[in-house]
Amino acid sequence: QKEVEQDPGPLSVPEGAIVSLNCTYSNSAFQYFMWYRQYSRKGPELLMYTYSSGNKEDGRFTAQVDKSSKYISLFIRDSQPSDSATYLCAFLNDYKLSFGAGTTVTVRA
Amino acid sequence: SAVISQKPSRDICQRGTSLTIQCQVDSQVTMMFWYRQQPGQSLTLIATANQGSEATYESGFVIDKFPISRPNLTFSTLTVSNMSPEDSSIYLCSVADTYDQPQHFGDGTRLSIL
């Protein structure tokens, strides 16, 4: 079993739709939970960072963590063409980041 | 967050040669890391660059193949030695203030080996 599993996608949605991204993990030692966005030919950019179960909102983005079930989600409301990118879930234990394989999202105008 | 610059942004190299990638940060940072992102795959940690001491390598990566320097708190280099086509990848550096803070990434170096 992989340490991190991310829904592979790709996803294609119309502008204004809600995008839902999911990851599951098996390592109970993961302490911090992150989502990164990666545009083509760019490095990953931190979107959301949390360490507790529950929801965290930042503008159109909501990160959800369920430690008991070992899954995390990212929701993007009112999606825009500029949200078209690859989204990576990431988990931090000590200094080590473990990444999901990424989900590529295309928002159609 | 810190501004991270990597050089070169891309290169095409001959097999058997070596290339040194530079990572420059606009402020002092405690922790610097090097990752590899192979085509269609996610990021894999190569090593942690420690200032004033040898780098700490992850399983599957060795110093002879990927020597790393960290002369100060704003700069690090990664060398990819004796390159083969399997080394074609994106190499990224990242930084963090402490072990429990999120890492921030440069835009990477896209390396192709012929």
Side-chain angles (χ1 to χ4, degrees):
Chain A
Q1 182 187 8
K2 284 186 180 179
E3 202 170 46
V4 177
E5 300 267 13
Q6 182 168 0
D7 289 352
L11 289 179
S12 179
V13 301
E15 184 175 356
I18 296 175
V19 176
S20 173
L21 304 165
N22 302 291
C23 286
T24 58
Y25 64 97
S26 59
N27 189 345
S28 298
F30 288 151
Q31 300 166 308
Y32 302 91
F33 310 92
M34 281 152 278
W35 286 94
Y36 285 84
R37 176 175 64 194
Q38 187 172 23
Y39 290 115
S40 180
R41 301 188 180 282
K42 292 289 189 180
E45 169 194 6
L46 180 70
L47 273 181
M48 302 290 281
Y49 167 69
T50 185
Y51 58 88
S52 57
S53 284
N55 293 350
K56 180 177 181 179
E57 273 194 32
D58 185 0
R60 296 185 294 111
F61 298 90
T62 299
Q64 186 176 82
V65 174
D66 184 335
K67 287 186 179 180
S68 61
S69 302
K70 294 190 174 67
Y71 83 81
I72 68 172
S73 299
L74 178 71
F75 300 97
I76 308 173
R77 291 184 299 279
D78 187 24
S79 57
Q80 304 295 310
S82 58
D83 295 325
S84 298
T86 297
Y87 291 81
L88 302 162
C89 58
F91 302 82
L92 186 63
N93 175 32
D94 199 2
Y95 62 89
K96 294 189 181 183
L97 267 179
S98 298
F99 284 89
T103 302
T104 298
V105 174
T106 301
V107 180
R108 309 185 305 271
Chain B
S1 60
V3 176
I4 305 159
S5 303
Q6 277 188 242
K7 289 182 181 179
S9 59
R10 62 188 311 155
D11 208 340
I12 301 172
C13 301
Q14 298 293 323
R15 67 176 69 201
T17 62
S18 298
L19 179 74
T20 295
I21 302 168
Q22 298 179 1
C23 181
Q24 178 75 55
V25 191
D26 69 343
S27 59
Q28 293 186 343
V29 292
T30 305
M31 311 190 76
M32 294 182 79
F33 307 90
W34 287 98
Y35 287 82
R36 182 172 71 185
Q37 187 174 26
Q38 293 183 303
Q41 299 186 28
S42 194
L43 287 80
T44 302
L45 180 63
I46 297 172
T48 303
N50 303 311
Q51 195 257 335
S53 65
E54 278 196 4
T56 305
Y57 289 84
E58 298 301 306
S59 176
F61 298 97
V62 295
I63 188 171
D64 289 347
K65 177 68 176 177
F66 297 101
I68 287 171
S69 78
R70 176 107 191 256
N72 56 53
L73 292 176
T74 64
F75 187 77
S76 178
T77 66
L78 168 76
T79 299
V80 187
S81 303
N82 188 24
M83 289 183 285
S84 66
E86 293 71 36
D87 295 319
S88 296
S89 188
I90 301 171
Y91 293 87
L92 298 127
C93 73
S94 73
V95 305
D97 289 325
T98 63
Y99 74 95
D100 59 349
Q101 290 296 305
Q103 295 173 24
H104 299 278
F105 288 81
D107 281 339
T109 295
R110 284 152 184 80
L111 184 56
S112 298
I113 315 303
L114 301 179

mmCIF file of all heavy atoms in Angstrom, chain A residues 1-5 23-31 33 53 65-72 91:
data_model
loop_
_atom_site.group_PDB
_atom_site.id
_atom_site.type_symbol
_atom_site.label_atom_id
_atom_site.label_comp_id
_atom_site.label_asym_id
_atom_site.label_seq_id
_atom_site.Cartn_x
_atom_site.Cartn_y
_atom_site.Cartn_z
ATOM 1 N N GLN A 1 0.845 -1.198 0.000
ATOM 2 C CA GLN A 1 0.000 0.000 0.000
ATOM 3 C C GLN A 1 0.881 1.249 0.000
ATOM 4 O O GLN A 1 1.814 1.365 0.775
ATOM 5 C CB GLN A 1 -0.885 0.010 1.244
ATOM 6 C CG GLN A 1 -1.834 1.205 1.318
ATOM 7 C CD GLN A 1 -2.574 1.266 2.646
ATOM 8 O OE1 GLN A 1 -2.285 0.507 3.559
ATOM 9 N NE2 GLN A 1 -3.522 2.166 2.756
ATOM 10 N N LYS A 2 0.573 2.177 -0.923
ATOM 11 C CA LYS A 2 1.329 3.414 -0.972
ATOM 12 C C LYS A 2 1.034 4.249 0.258
ATOM 13 O O LYS A 2 -0.079 4.222 0.801
ATOM 14 C CB LYS A 2 0.950 4.196 -2.223
ATOM 15 C CG LYS A 2 1.547 3.652 -3.515
ATOM 16 C CD LYS A 2 1.232 4.595 -4.661
ATOM 17 C CE LYS A 2 1.817 4.085 -5.958
ATOM 18 N NZ LYS A 2 1.487 4.979 -7.088
ATOM 19 N N GLU A 3 2.012 5.040 0.667
ATOM 20 C CA GLU A 3 1.857 5.909 1.821
ATOM 21 C C GLU A 3 0.820 7.003 1.550
ATOM 22 O O GLU A 3 0.091 7.424 2.458
ATOM 23 C CB GLU A 3 3.209 6.530 2.147
ATOM 24 C CG GLU A 3 3.352 7.011 3.554
ATOM 25 C CD GLU A 3 4.781 7.397 3.876
ATOM 26 O OE1 GLU A 3 5.402 8.098 3.068
ATOM 27 O OE2 GLU A 3 5.254 7.004 4.954
ATOM 28 N N VAL A 4 0.775 7.490 0.331
ATOM 29 C CA VAL A 4 -0.157 8.540 -0.067
ATOM 30 C C VAL A 4 -0.827 8.129 -1.381
ATOM 31 O O VAL A 4 -0.140 7.735 -2.329
ATOM 32 C CB VAL A 4 0.566 9.888 -0.270
ATOM 33 C CG1 VAL A 4 -0.413 10.943 -0.764
ATOM 34 C CG2 VAL A 4 1.243 10.335 1.016
ATOM 35 N N GLU A 5 -2.129 8.230 -1.424
ATOM 36 C CA GLU A 5 -2.877 7.956 -2.647
ATOM 37 C C GLU A 5 -3.692 9.193 -2.982
ATOM 38 O O GLU A 5 -4.442 9.690 -2.141
ATOM 39 C CB GLU A 5 -3.821 6.750 -2.460
ATOM 40 C CG GLU A 5 -3.119 5.458 -2.108
ATOM 41 C CD GLU A 5 -2.793 4.616 -3.317
ATOM 42 O OE1 GLU A 5 -2.891 5.119 -4.459
ATOM 43 O OE2 GLU A 5 -2.430 3.437 -3.126
ATOM 44 N N CYS A 23 -7.227 13.003 -1.149
ATOM 45 C CA CYS A 23 -6.063 12.148 -0.904
ATOM 46 C C CYS A 23 -6.316 11.305 0.329
ATOM 47 O O CYS A 23 -6.957 11.775 1.275
ATOM 48 C CB CYS A 23 -4.798 12.977 -0.671
ATOM 49 S SG CYS A 23 -4.118 13.740 -2.139
ATOM 50 N N THR A 24 -5.808 10.091 0.305
ATOM 51 C CA THR A 24 -5.801 9.261 1.506
ATOM 52 C C THR A 24 -4.348 8.958 1.870
ATOM 53 O O THR A 24 -3.458 9.031 1.018
ATOM 54 C CB THR A 24 -6.562 7.944 1.291
ATOM 55 O OG1 THR A 24 -5.960 7.231 0.197
ATOM 56 C CG2 THR A 24 -8.029 8.201 0.974
ATOM 57 N N TYR A 25 -4.124 8.632 3.135
ATOM 58 C CA TYR A 25 -2.765 8.338 3.584
ATOM 59 C C TYR A 25 -2.796 7.231 4.610
ATOM 60 O O TYR A 25 -3.831 6.956 5.223
ATOM 61 C CB TYR A 25 -2.099 9.597 4.144
ATOM 62 C CG TYR A 25 -2.754 10.167 5.386
ATOM 63 C CD1 TYR A 25 -2.270 9.866 6.661
ATOM 64 C CD2 TYR A 25 -3.847 11.028 5.289
ATOM 65 C CE1 TYR A 25 -2.854 10.399 7.797
ATOM 66 C CE2 TYR A 25 -4.437 11.559 6.423
ATOM 67 C CZ TYR A 25 -3.940 11.248 7.672
ATOM 68 O OH TYR A 25 -4.539 11.779 8.796
ATOM 69 N N SER A 26 -1.664 6.584 4.789
ATOM 70 C CA SER A 26 -1.611 5.444 5.708
ATOM 71 C C SER A 26 -0.694 5.696 6.907
ATOM 72 O O SER A 26 -0.779 4.972 7.900
ATOM 73 C CB SER A 26 -1.134 4.192 4.965
ATOM 74 O OG SER A 26 0.141 4.398 4.395
ATOM 75 N N ASN A 27 0.149 6.725 6.833
ATOM 76 C CA ASN A 27 1.138 6.960 7.889
ATOM 77 C C ASN A 27 0.559 7.830 8.999
ATOM 78 O O ASN A 27 0.331 9.024 8.818
ATOM 79 C CB ASN A 27 2.381 7.628 7.280
ATOM 80 C CG ASN A 27 3.535 7.713 8.262
ATOM 81 O OD1 ASN A 27 3.352 7.535 9.466
ATOM 82 N ND2 ASN A 27 4.720 7.968 7.746
ATOM 83 N N SER A 28 0.320 7.241 10.156
ATOM 84 C CA SER A 28 -0.262 7.983 11.276
ATOM 85 C C SER A 28 0.688 9.037 11.836
ATOM 86 O O SER A 28 0.273 9.893 12.617
ATOM 87 C CB SER A 28 -0.637 7.009 12.404
ATOM 88 O OG SER A 28 -1.606 6.094 11.970
ATOM 89 N N ALA A 29 1.964 8.975 11.464
ATOM 90 C CA ALA A 29 2.941 9.936 11.966
ATOM 91 C C ALA A 29 2.859 11.290 11.252
ATOM 92 O O ALA A 29 3.465 12.258 11.708
ATOM 93 C CB ALA A 29 4.349 9.369 11.829
ATOM 94 N N PHE A 30 2.141 11.351 10.152
ATOM 95 C CA PHE A 30 2.000 12.639 9.459
ATOM 96 C C PHE A 30 1.355 13.644 10.405
ATOM 97 O O PHE A 30 0.313 13.383 11.005
ATOM 98 C CB PHE A 30 1.165 12.502 8.196
ATOM 99 C CG PHE A 30 1.860 11.780 7.079
ATOM 100 C CD1 PHE A 30 1.118 11.056 6.156
ATOM 101 C CD2 PHE A 30 3.236 11.836 6.920
ATOM 102 C CE1 PHE A 30 1.732 10.389 5.105
ATOM 103 C CE2 PHE A 30 3.855 11.168 5.881
ATOM 104 C CZ PHE A 30 3.101 10.443 4.972
ATOM 105 N N GLN A 31 1.999 14.822 10.498
ATOM 106 C CA GLN A 31 1.557 15.810 11.484
ATOM 107 C C GLN A 31 0.903 17.031 10.836
ATOM 108 O O GLN A 31 0.084 17.703 11.465
ATOM 109 C CB GLN A 31 2.766 16.269 12.294
ATOM 110 C CG GLN A 31 3.456 15.145 13.051
ATOM 111 C CD GLN A 31 4.820 15.570 13.565
ATOM 112 O OE1 GLN A 31 5.642 16.062 12.813
ATOM 113 N NE2 GLN A 31 5.040 15.386 14.845
ATOM 114 N N PHE A 33 -0.638 18.893 7.106
ATOM 115 C CA PHE A 33 -1.314 18.536 5.860
ATOM 116 C C PHE A 33 -1.364 19.762 4.964
ATOM 117 O O PHE A 33 -1.771 20.848 5.410
ATOM 118 C CB PHE A 33 -2.721 18.016 6.170
ATOM 119 C CG PHE A 33 -2.724 16.954 7.237
ATOM 120 C CD1 PHE A 33 -2.889 17.298 8.571
ATOM 121 C CD2 PHE A 33 -2.528 15.628 6.912
ATOM 122 C CE1 PHE A 33 -2.864 16.333 9.566
ATOM 123 C CE2 PHE A 33 -2.511 14.655 7.898
ATOM 124 C CZ PHE A 33 -2.674 15.008 9.223
ATOM 125 N N SER A 53 -7.719 18.185 12.468
ATOM 126 C CA SER A 53 -8.914 17.743 11.759
ATOM 127 C C SER A 53 -9.917 18.881 11.694
ATOM 128 O O SER A 53 -9.953 19.747 12.569
ATOM 129 C CB SER A 53 -9.537 16.552 12.472
ATOM 130 O OG SER A 53 -8.824 15.378 12.235
ATOM 131 N N VAL A 65 -9.654 18.044 6.665
ATOM 132 C CA VAL A 65 -8.808 16.962 7.163
ATOM 133 C C VAL A 65 -9.625 16.079 8.080
ATOM 134 O O VAL A 65 -10.319 16.571 8.979
ATOM 135 C CB VAL A 65 -7.581 17.510 7.925
ATOM 136 C CG1 VAL A 65 -6.788 16.366 8.568
ATOM 137 C CG2 VAL A 65 -6.687 18.317 6.997
ATOM 138 N N ASP A 66 -9.553 14.783 7.859
ATOM 139 C CA ASP A 66 -10.190 13.802 8.747
ATOM 140 C C ASP A 66 -9.097 12.809 9.160
ATOM 141 O O ASP A 66 -8.796 11.877 8.432
ATOM 142 C CB ASP A 66 -11.345 13.102 8.027
ATOM 143 C CG ASP A 66 -12.105 12.145 8.936
ATOM 144 O OD1 ASP A 66 -11.523 11.639 9.933
ATOM 145 O OD2 ASP A 66 -13.271 11.882 8.666
ATOM 146 N N LYS A 67 -8.534 13.025 10.329
ATOM 147 C CA LYS A 67 -7.420 12.182 10.782
ATOM 148 C C LYS A 67 -7.893 10.773 11.106
ATOM 149 O O LYS A 67 -7.154 9.809 10.937
ATOM 150 C CB LYS A 67 -6.750 12.791 11.996
ATOM 151 C CG LYS A 67 -5.916 14.023 11.702
ATOM 152 C CD LYS A 67 -5.174 14.451 12.970
ATOM 153 C CE LYS A 67 -4.316 15.648 12.731
ATOM 154 N NZ LYS A 67 -3.591 16.057 13.964
ATOM 155 N N SER A 68 -9.122 10.638 11.599
ATOM 156 C CA SER A 68 -9.599 9.303 11.980
ATOM 157 C C SER A 68 -9.745 8.405 10.765
ATOM 158 O O SER A 68 -9.485 7.200 10.823
ATOM 159 C CB SER A 68 -10.917 9.404 12.743
ATOM 160 O OG SER A 68 -11.907 9.991 11.922
ATOM 161 N N SER A 69 -10.140 8.983 9.640
ATOM 162 C CA SER A 69 -10.309 8.213 8.409
ATOM 163 C C SER A 69 -9.098 8.330 7.497
ATOM 164 O O SER A 69 -9.047 7.688 6.441
ATOM 165 C CB SER A 69 -11.553 8.661 7.657
ATOM 166 O OG SER A 69 -12.703 8.518 8.452
ATOM 167 N N LYS A 70 -8.146 9.170 7.855
ATOM 168 C CA LYS A 70 -6.913 9.375 7.094
ATOM 169 C C LYS A 70 -7.187 9.821 5.665
ATOM 170 O O LYS A 70 -6.740 9.200 4.686
ATOM 171 C CB LYS A 70 -6.041 8.124 7.111
ATOM 172 C CG LYS A 70 -5.471 7.762 8.490
ATOM 173 C CD LYS A 70 -4.438 6.656 8.380
ATOM 174 C CE LYS A 70 -3.763 6.372 9.702
ATOM 175 N NZ LYS A 70 -4.673 5.806 10.692
ATOM 176 N N TYR A 71 -7.955 10.874 5.550
ATOM 177 C CA TYR A 71 -8.096 11.477 4.234
ATOM 178 C C TYR A 71 -8.149 12.986 4.361
ATOM 179 O O TYR A 71 -8.526 13.527 5.399
ATOM 180 C CB TYR A 71 -9.313 10.929 3.477
ATOM 181 C CG TYR A 71 -10.624 11.585 3.816
ATOM 182 C CD1 TYR A 71 -10.996 12.801 3.238
ATOM 183 C CD2 TYR A 71 -11.514 10.979 4.696
ATOM 184 C CE1 TYR A 71 -12.204 13.398 3.548
ATOM 185 C CE2 TYR A 71 -12.722 11.570 5.005
ATOM 186 C CZ TYR A 71 -13.057 12.776 4.429
ATOM 187 O OH TYR A 71 -14.253 13.358 4.747
ATOM 188 N N ILE A 72 -7.717 13.649 3.277
ATOM 189 C CA ILE A 72 -7.812 15.093 3.201
ATOM 190 C C ILE A 72 -8.439 15.467 1.867
ATOM 191 O O ILE A 72 -8.342 14.723 0.889
ATOM 192 C CB ILE A 72 -6.453 15.803 3.381
ATOM 193 C CG1 ILE A 72 -5.519 15.538 2.211
ATOM 194 C CG2 ILE A 72 -5.794 15.378 4.695
ATOM 195 C CD1 ILE A 72 -4.236 16.379 2.265
ATOM 196 N N PHE A 91 2.174 15.802 2.842
ATOM 197 C CA PHE A 91 2.092 15.463 4.256
ATOM 198 C C PHE A 91 3.479 15.615 4.864
ATOM 199 O O PHE A 91 4.465 15.139 4.299
ATOM 200 C CB PHE A 91 1.604 14.022 4.416
ATOM 201 C CG PHE A 91 0.270 13.771 3.769
ATOM 202 C CD1 PHE A 91 0.173 13.515 2.416
ATOM 203 C CD2 PHE A 91 -0.896 13.809 4.519
ATOM 204 C CE1 PHE A 91 -1.054 13.295 1.809
ATOM 205 C CE2 PHE A 91 -2.123 13.582 3.930
ATOM 206 C CZ PHE A 91 -2.207 13.332 2.579
#
